[in-house]
Amino acid sequence: YQYPLIFGLILAFCWCSLVCCSRIYMGMHSILDVIAGFLYAILILLVFHPLVDLIDNFNLTYKYAPLIIISLHLALGIFSFTLDTWSTSRGDTAQILGCGAGVACGSHINYMVGLQLDPPPHALPLSLSSLTVTVFGKAILRLLIGVVVLLLTKIGMKKVTIPLACRIFRIAQADVRKARQRMEVELPYRYVTYGTVGFSLMFVVPCLFHFIGLS
């Protein structure tokens, strides 16, 4: 959409500040951690921004892209680091990688079945339409339905993956919290659950909207 540049900059600054300050307030990261993460994000942006279209085209069009994406993200989750003591960072990493893989695979399926979510380049930029009661109501309905579907997906996959991982790796399920801290349970649970959530976000929910006329 076409919107004022200053609006986008203010929104980006506020969102970035809220995320950074929340990490410090919750005691999850120090100020130096946040500064290093911010600088690292800028470095990633500088390196990958010129390659975004190339990577996106590969994800959408290459036949074996989902297999490569899933394998790469699994490998990153397993071999990225090891822990001397348990930390939330390992589960968070698997959660982010799983969600990313699910979103990428969902986008690939969308392209393959012809469910185009993005307008063609020649139609861009889009102009913001006037806000009416109908448009607002439709947006709220889409939001509510989408959130419910994603929450149900998360709950359902969580109930399936944790007991299944415990059974496969022969880990006692009496203390679920302790079992979830084991790498054999934590990584598959986070990866599969949030991978499914990401896939639902990009494919299942849009298909549902299309079916009920909320596209």
Side-chain angles (χ1 to χ4, degrees):
Y1 289 94
Q2 186 68 45
Y3 53 85
L5 175 63
I6 188 65
F7 174 77
L9 291 176
I10 292 173
L11 182 62
F13 175 79
C14 291
W15 183 258
C16 182
S17 299
L18 287 172
V19 172
C20 293
C21 291
S22 70
R23 296 293 83 194
I24 298 172
Y25 176 77
M26 296 296 292
M28 301 300 294
H29 295 287
S30 66
I31 295 178
L32 288 179
D33 288 339
V34 170
I35 293 174
F38 178 77
L39 295 176
Y40 188 50
I42 293 177
L43 177 62
I44 292 174
L45 183 63
L46 292 175
V47 172
F48 282 98
H49 186 267
L51 305 175
V52 166
D53 290 336
L54 181 64
I55 295 173
D56 188 51
N57 185 64
F58 171 81
N59 286 345
L60 295 178
T61 61
Y62 187 59
K63 184 196 302 186
Y64 300 108
L67 181 61
I68 295 173
I69 291 167
I70 292 172
S71 301
L72 178 61
H73 284 230
L74 274 174
L76 288 171
I78 294 172
F79 300 112
S80 59
F81 59 86
T82 56
L83 299 174
D84 295 328
T85 58
W86 180 80
S87 168
T88 58
S89 58
R90 182 173 62 197
D92 292 342
T93 301
Q95 182 172 319
I96 293 167
L97 290 171
C99 191
V103 166
C105 291
S107 299
H108 178 83
I109 300 298
N110 284 337
Y111 182 84
M112 290 293 106
V113 301
L115 183 63
Q116 296 288 347
L117 299 180
D118 295 328
H122 64 80
L124 299 177
L126 301 177
S127 58
L128 293 173
S129 59
S130 57
L131 183 62
T132 64
V133 175
T134 302
V135 171
F136 181 76
K138 191 174 180 180
I140 294 298
L141 187 58
R142 284 167 57 93
L143 174 65
L144 292 176
I145 294 174
V147 168
V148 169
V149 171
L150 295 182
L151 283 176
L152 291 176
T153 301
K154 176 187 172 183
I155 294 170
M157 293 305 300
K158 182 178 178 180
K159 288 185 176 296
V160 171
T161 52
I162 294 178
L164 182 60
C166 290
R167 184 174 301 176
I168 291 173
F169 295 103
R170 298 179 180 178
I171 296 173
Q173 302 183 42
D175 188 346
V176 177
R177 183 175 177 274
K178 188 175 181 180
R180 283 175 52 182
Q181 294 181 0
R182 296 281 297 270
M183 185 181 74
E184 302 92 328
V185 175
E186 185 176 42
L187 290 185
Y189 147 61
R190 294 287 190 117
Y191 191 89
V192 174
T193 297
Y194 289 94
T196 307
V197 169
F199 182 81
S200 298
L201 174 69
M202 289 303 296
F203 180 70
V204 177
V205 172
C207 283
L208 178 61
F209 288 161
H210 180 75
F211 180 74
I212 62 179
L214 280 176
S215 298

